[in-house]
Amino acid sequence: MQSTELKAFVIDKVEDIKAKDVVVLDVREKSNITDYMVICTGTSNTHLRAIADNVVRAAKAAGVEPLGVEGRDSNEWVLVDLGDVVLHVMQDAVREQFQLEKLWSEV
């Protein structure tokens, strides 16, 4: 799957589980680790895990093996690394604290 297709795929899957405030950052010119970061908010610990798990299951079913999943047990932030796309699912307070959108716009 091309990176732009994978980005659209991830957006579709997080929206299936009603993720809030979905933002896509194109970091191709700023990072050699990934092409896109998708950042979204979950409303509870269970919602965070459901969003991340939905993306992981759907990716595997589509033949895309995640490179890693971090934070499933943290209850505040889950990261799903799909190579060309990295998904950050965060609670509101954590998202405001880290301000990834602002951080990556200043790089």
Side-chain angles (χ1 to χ4, degrees):
M1 199 177 301
Q2 298 282 342
S3 64
T4 54
E5 292 172 307
L6 185 57
K7 172 188 70 169
F9 177 87
V10 169
I11 292 167
D12 182 56
K13 297 310 167 197
V14 300
E15 288 177 345
D16 282 351
I17 306 294
K18 308 291 189 229
K20 304 222 180 274
D21 303 319
V22 179
V23 173
V24 178
L25 303 177
D26 182 341
V27 296
R28 290 176 289 186
E29 299 296 321
K30 300 173 181 180
S31 172
N32 60 0
I33 296 172
T34 191
D35 290 344
Y36 298 99
M37 289 189 189
V38 177
I39 304 167
C40 63
T41 301
T43 58
S44 68
N45 303 346
T46 303
H47 193 213
L48 288 176
R49 284 190 299 277
I51 294 167
D53 289 346
N54 188 54
V55 171
V56 168
R57 273 193 305 273
K60 287 180 177 180
V64 178
E65 189 65 35
L67 300 176
V69 179
E70 299 294 330
R72 273 191 178 139
D73 298 326
S74 78
N75 299 323
E76 296 177 336
W77 185 351
V78 180
L79 180 143
V80 179
D81 184 350
L82 297 169
D84 290 339
V85 177
V86 173
L87 170 65
H88 298 271
V89 187
M90 309 166 103
Q91 294 243 13
D92 270 328
V94 174
R95 187 167 176 178
E96 189 171 316
Q97 177 184 358
F98 286 97
Q99 299 182 14
L100 291 181
E101 297 95 329
K102 182 179 177 187
L103 174 70
W104 281 97
S105 69
E106 293 176 357
V107 173

